Structure formats: structure tokens, C-alpha cells
Amino acid sequence: MQKTSSRLLALLSLLQTSRDWSGDDLAERLDVTPRTVRRDIDRLRELGYPIRAFKGPAGGYRLDAGSQLPPLLFDDGQAVALALALQSAATDTTIGEDAARALSTIRQVLPSRLRRRIDLLQVTALRPPDTGGTPPVGTQLLVELSRVIHAREELRFAYGSDAADAVDPAGQPRRTQPHHLVTWRGHWYLVAWDLDRGDWRTFRVDRIRPRTPTGPRFTPRDLPGRDLGAFLAGRFRGTDGSTADWPCRGEVVLDLPAQAVAPFAQDGIVEDLGPDRSRLTLGSWSWTGLAAAIGRFDTDIHVIGPPELTNAFAQLAARYANAAGT
């Protein structure tokens, strides 16, 4: 049988999984008797953990949120994972300062053996290079957006990069049904159904200025494709969000070896056709954009298809010829 301190730590770890546990389930997981579980629950309550008992065939327990934060207990894996997560979050423009302070606080109370392990796991989390000029998003705004999403209340907000363009051309705030708050490549986004436009929209949170009060409650709609990751990828690629595929995809053969093409193909598919030839399948938001992207490879290009890609190359050729003649 585990020592009392180790058993209490294991019990608390189970209770923190945000689910209800029956006394028998806890006893089985900890390999103790239900009576021992009841005694350990009482010990945790004495330490300040608000554990609620509920009725049922075998009885059960739930860890509720308390008015004060009691002493936290982590096993080794949880402590290391928490430290690594806080190191990674330290570059975030929104929570970076709070994450760094939290990591410093946690490190001070860790046992020396764990502190040494964490000090050896120094992670350099780099901020995406395209977010240097992004204004920080206040945590209060994130909390408020999360609350509105959870409450399923309509949200009105001014939207723009500054106060001058914080409303739409008609001078009215945006009216939305907010669904998801996500972070994507260094930015925070609100995914919402735009009531005035009758379509899904993705809004940069740093450009949102909520209006009060919030609107009536609503019944959430299903996202196209019902997959948030695919929806965002698709919207940023110019689709309706029902698929993550590029709306335009073509295939060419380049007079370059595969190893010279692959580092610059992004999410394209590169096939080796020999020492000096490779096949590239690539996508883009438009046929002209796709042709321009393929044209970055300084070599001869043989279009396999589709015809739209061939036409896009012809249009670009005409434009470039006109530009060269001016």
C-alpha cells in the first residue's frame, strides 16, 4: 500500500480530472478500501480542498472550485509538464508576463530533485516573426469572450485596427453569435456567425471592442465540416471552411531534383523523377497565385494540369511581358 502522502497525491490527481468519481472507483484505482478513501477525502478537506460528496448507489465525490486556492499537489510528470507549458507560453503577448511569474513561483516551491530536472529542460519558445507589430490582447477581453461563448449570448462589437475603422462602412457594430475562441499562428481569433451577413466569419481578437449589454441567448449552429481545425485552415485558404483543401490545386514537372524543391514546397507534394526532375503538386487560393508560386522555382516548368493552371501561366506571361516592355 502507498504511503499516506503519496496516496493523497494520487487521489487529488484523480479528483482534478473534472469528473465525478464513485467511492468504489476511487478505491479500485488506489487499491485501497472505500473506508480509506473516505478518510483520505477528509484529510484533503482539512487541507482546504472543497470536495463535495454526492448521493448514489455507491456514493461519490467531486472536486469543486473553492473561494481560495489551496496548496497544490503535483506528481513529477505534472510538474514537469506545467513548467514546460509555462516556458512555451512566456513569449505570448497576452499571457507571457503572467506565465513567467507563475513559472518562477512554482519553481521556488518544487523539491530540489524536480527543480534540477526542470532547469535542465530549458525551452526556447520563439514568437512567430509576423506578430511583432501585433497589439497585445488583454486577458480581461479573452475572459469576457469566453464567458459570452459559454453563455451562448449574442455579441455586438466594434471591429477594426484602430478607433477610426472600428465599425463597418455603415457605422454599425458587428452582430454575431460567438462560437469559438482560438489561437492560430500567434494571433487570437473569434469564430462567430455574423448575423447581418448570414455567414461564418473569423475576427482578430485584438481588433474587437465589445459593446454592452450582450444580446439574447441563441442555439449554436454547426460549423461547416464540424471540425474547427479544418474550418480555420479552409477559411484562411479561401474556402467556405467545409474542407481544409486549397480551392486551387495543380501539378507540374520541374527540371530540378526533388531535394532542391522540397524545402520550398511548403505543404505541397514532391515526387522524385530522377536526378534532375521532380513532380510538384501544390495548392493556392487562386490559379494566378498558384502559377506565381510555382514560378519562384528558377527552372523550366511543364504543366501536367489542370487547364486552369495553364491559362494562369499564360495570363502571367502576358503581364510580365507588358511589364518588361514599359
Side-chain angles (χ1 to χ4, degrees), residues 264-280:
F264 308 101
Q266 299 180 344
D267 60 350
I269 300 173
V270 182
E271 301 174 61
D272 187 0
L273 300 181
D276 297 311
R277 284 169 62 85
S278 59
R279 179 184 289 111
L280 172 64

Side-chain angles (χ1 to χ4, degrees), residues 21-105:
W21 288 91
S22 71
D24 290 342
D25 286 342
L26 289 173
E28 181 180 355
R29 290 291 294 269
L30 298 172
D31 193 23
V32 296
T33 65
R35 182 179 179 182
T36 299
V37 169
R38 290 193 294 270
R39 288 202 306 264
D40 287 348
I41 290 291
D42 290 338
R43 291 189 179 99
L44 289 177
R45 286 169 174 162
E46 291 173 358
L47 291 173
Y49 290 93
I51 301 173
R52 179 188 301 178
F54 60 89
K55 297 180 180 180
Y61 304 96
R62 178 190 306 121
L63 181 63
D64 286 344
S67 59
Q68 294 182 344
L69 185 65
L72 297 178
L73 298 176
F74 298 103
D75 60 30
D76 290 8
Q78 289 175 320
V80 172
L82 180 60
L84 289 176
L86 290 173
Q87 285 188 46
S88 300
T91 62
D92 189 278
T93 56
T94 302
I95 62 173
E97 182 178 349
D98 290 337
R101 290 192 299 109
L103 178 59
S104 177
T105 300

Side-chain angles (χ1 to χ4, degrees), residues 123-147:
V123 176
T124 302
L126 300 178
R127 185 176 301 170
D130 60 343
T131 61
T134 302
V137 177
T139 54
Q140 183 176 355
L141 176 56
L142 294 178
V143 170
E144 174 60 17
L145 293 179
S146 298
R147 185 199 67 78

Side-chain angles (χ1 to χ4, degrees), residues 205-268:
V205 172
D206 57 284
R207 298 176 180 175
I208 290 177
R209 294 161 182 81
R211 299 285 181 87
T212 56
T214 55
R217 292 173 60 87
F218 63 91
T219 301
R221 307 166 186 263
D222 290 331
L223 279 172
R226 303 195 178 193
D227 182 280
L228 182 59
F231 171 81
L232 279 179
R235 291 305 288 245
F236 286 128
R237 290 177 173 180
T239 72
D240 62 358
S242 59
T243 175
D245 291 338
W246 288 104
C248 302
R249 184 172 292 274
E251 184 178 343
V252 299
V253 171
L254 303 175
D255 290 345
L256 285 174
Q259 60 266 30
V261 176
F264 308 101
Q266 299 180 344
D267 60 350

Side-chain angles (χ1 to χ4, degrees), residues 99-127:
R101 290 192 299 109
L103 178 59
S104 177
T105 300
I106 290 174
R107 185 185 179 281
Q108 292 176 11
V109 299
L110 288 175
S112 58
R113 58 182 178 80
L114 274 182
R115 192 181 305 121
R116 286 193 296 269
R117 288 183 62 187
I118 290 174
D119 289 344
L120 292 174
L121 289 171
Q122 293 297 323
V123 176
T124 302
L126 300 178
R127 185 176 301 170

